[in-house]
Amino acid sequence: MNNSEIQTQKPKLVAYKYKKWVYTSFLIPVTFLILKMAGVLELEAQTSKSLFSVLFFIPLMLLAFTAEKIEDERIEKIRMRALGAASLFAFSYVMIRNIMDLLTPSGEPYILSANELILTMLFFYLINKYFLLKKG
């Protein structure tokens, strides 16, 4: 197989025209949070926390994988840089957190759930991508 036969695959992204709907989908977890705080929804604390994180995770994922208006190689590089930085941040966060738990005798160690780690990575990815896009 020579180089002309090898094709790079473009990532499957949500079309740019749906970006407004993605931003609107953030109203679902906000509405859930308001209803929970107002006492309309009677759920256990752990159940409501899990449900809120899932409802917040879906729009974040959609936002992370929404195409830009002009999708070119520069945007692709920015996406890869932001993803690499988010992965490095998550790895560092987990390692530092574990070291801090070993060094401080506070009793129970903090157990980071997968939802918290993924949400942290998504936030870091989106913030990093935003600043890289603004930087040019």
Side-chain angles (χ1 to χ4, degrees), residues 19 26 37 47-49 57 81 93 105 112 117-118 123:
K19 200 165 200 165
F26 279 104
M37 291 175 71
T47 305
S48 62
K49 182 180 175 184
F57 172 75
R81 261 192 183 163
Y93 179 71
L112 184 69
L117 184 63
I118 291 172
F123 274 123

Side-chain angles (χ1 to χ4, degrees), residues 59-103:
L60 274 178
M61 283 296 287
L62 288 173
L63 185 61
F65 294 108
T66 300
E68 297 296 322
K69 194 169 195 174
I70 299 171
E71 194 74 29
D72 58 357
E73 290 175 8
R74 183 179 73 85
I75 301 293
E76 226 174 279
K77 276 187 177 180
I78 288 173
R79 283 183 192 279
M80 296 311 282
R81 261 192 183 163
L83 183 63
S87 300
L88 183 63
F89 173 77
F91 177 76
S92 302
Y93 179 71
V94 168
M95 295 305 291
I96 290 170
R97 186 69 192 193
N98 286 335
I99 291 170
M100 293 304 291
D101 281 343
L102 288 173
L103 294 178

Side-chain angles (χ1 to χ4, degrees), residues 5-61:
E5 294 177 12
I6 298 173
Q7 294 179 350
T8 59
Q9 287 186 329
K10 296 286 183 186
K12 305 279 189 229
L13 300 171
V14 178
Y16 178 77
K17 64 182 179 179
Y18 297 116
K19 200 165 200 165
K20 289 179 186 173
W21 287 103
V22 170
Y23 283 122
T24 307
S25 66
F26 279 104
L27 292 175
I28 296 169
V30 170
T31 305
F32 173 77
L33 186 63
I34 291 170
L35 291 175
K36 176 69 175 141
M37 291 175 71
V40 176
L41 294 175
E42 299 288 331
L43 295 172
E44 292 179 18
Q46 187 62 32
T47 305
S48 62
K49 182 180 175 184
S50 297
L51 188 59
F52 177 75
S53 65
V54 168
L55 289 174
F56 200 66
F57 172 75
I58 293 170
L60 274 178
M61 283 296 287

